[in-house]
Amino acid sequence: MKAVNSMKIEFQSNSANEGFARSAAAAFAAQLDPTLDELGDIKTAVSEAVTNAIVHAYPDTIGKITLKARLFPNNSLDLTIRDWGRGIDDIDKAREPLYTTGGEDRSGMGFTIMESFTDKLKVKSTPGRGTTVTMHRRFSTRAGRE
Amino acid sequence: MKTRAYYKDGLLTIRFDGELDHHSAKPAVRVIEDGIDTHLPKHLILDFKGLSFMDSSGIAVVLKAFRRMNELEGTVSVDNVPAQPQKVLDMAGLGRLIKIAAGVKEA
């Protein structure tokens, strides 16, 4: 399916950018006239993916993260969060609920939330090369919309 | 995000205002732990009324508060939880450990 609109932003892996990234994604998704609930889901899912990149991809350095969003004519949205950091050794393990390498500061719920708050989650990673997380989310069609 | 502590008669209330994520979690945990260590309360209320956003970092914050209060044989509740933070807390099943009360829907 061909996207009808798209955006891409690049930012440093500073934790202050977690709020920036989820707000930017929500502002872009606003074109779909989402409900408050749907907007909350998008913000939460993006926050989890970006936090993973900041905490796990670049544990001791500041690196590059990109956030891409693509809007489709059937009221759906693709969100892609990419980093060029450490990568994930075992993706299946990383996706398990409560699994974390982040100690007691992290809950291990990141991927579980991304999975439940969107319709589809794809994770591609090469150790030493980086990780790409793609999420797909459909939005409800509401009365009064064109 | 702003985190403020109020103490009275064995009850410590921590009020959250703003967005709780990985970036703001550390300072929030510090306020909670300082409040607990200073007052040794019997009960801790995490008041989420002003919490406009929370991700999974907030789950770890609530669990930390719960563990610390458990050591003191005290109790914890989370009050006035708006819809978005509630959905995240539900994912972790925190309602089984801690009393969580939903916020009043604003008109």
Side-chain angles (χ1 to χ4, degrees):
Chain A
M1 209 183 333
K2 205 170 142 43
V4 289
N5 194 7
S6 67
M7 70 92 162
K8 180 181 174 181
I9 49 177
E10 182 186 315
F11 50 91
Q12 288 190 173
S13 63
N14 298 88
S15 62
N17 285 331
E18 291 155 10
F20 163 69
R22 64 176 175 263
S23 300
F28 186 77
Q31 298 167 63
L32 289 166
D33 191 22
T35 63
L36 218 54
D37 207 39
E38 289 168 334
L39 220 45
D41 290 354
I42 291 300
K43 281 174 88 170
T44 315
V46 169
S47 201
E48 299 299 343
V50 169
T51 302
N52 271 354
I54 288 170
V55 173
H56 299 290
Y58 303 112
D60 320 300
T61 50
I62 293 292
K64 181 174 83 171
I65 300 171
T66 59
L67 163 67
K68 271 199 307 196
R70 293 193 304 157
L71 221 101
F72 298 102
N74 66 346
N75 272 325
S76 69
L77 180 72
D78 261 358
L79 292 157
T80 307
I81 293 91
R82 184 173 180 195
D83 68 68
W84 287 260
R86 201 172 52 173
I88 303 168
D89 289 325
D90 187 341
I91 295 175
D92 289 339
K93 187 117 205 147
R95 287 179 69 154
E96 278 173 21
L98 303 175
Y99 176 82
T100 182
T101 55
E104 67 162 21
D105 285 339
R106 311 298 318 151
S107 67
M109 292 299 288
F111 277 126
T112 308
I113 286 174
M114 287 181 240
E115 208 159 11
S116 335
F117 285 31
T118 64
D119 296 308
K120 206 166 158 191
L121 168 70
K122 236 170 51 191
V123 186
K124 261 181 24 196
S125 189
T126 313
R129 299 283 299 273
T131 301
T132 305
V133 170
T134 305
M135 296 177 279
H136 184 75
R137 171 70 192 244
R138 262 188 313 276
F139 289 78
S140 58
T141 322
R142 287 197 283 165
R145 191 155 34 197
E146 284 175 45
Chain B
M1 192 193 54
K2 265 197 211 137
T3 321
R4 278 165 298 184
Y6 304 87
Y7 177 77
K8 204 186 169 203
D9 302 330
L11 178 72
L12 177 67
T13 304
I14 311 275
R15 259 188 223 160
F16 292 74
D17 275 293
E19 306 202 334
L20 178 55
D21 60 7
H22 156 255
H23 180 65
S24 60
K26 249 190 206 136
V29 166
R30 209 168 306 133
V31 170
I32 296 169
E33 288 183 341
D34 282 355
I36 294 173
D37 293 347
T38 306
H39 302 293
L40 304 173
K42 289 193 182 69
H43 186 68
L44 170 70
I45 293 178
L46 302 174
D47 186 347
F48 277 8
K49 191 173 181 206
L51 190 66
S52 50
F53 174 84
M54 184 189 106
D55 67 14
S56 70
S57 311
I59 297 171
V61 171
V62 173
L63 277 175
K64 262 194 180 168
F66 172 74
R67 285 197 204 107
R68 187 77 192 91
M69 285 304 290
N70 230 13
E71 286 165 11
L72 300 172
E73 295 178 355
T75 48
V76 183
S77 58
V78 189
D79 276 8
N80 302 315
V81 186
Q84 187 275 335
Q86 181 71 58
K87 205 167 167 183
V88 174
L89 291 174
D90 286 346
M91 287 300 305
L94 279 187
R96 281 174 310 200
L97 283 178
I98 299 166
K99 197 178 154 220
I100 297 171
V104 180
K105 274 237 171 91
E106 272 163 51

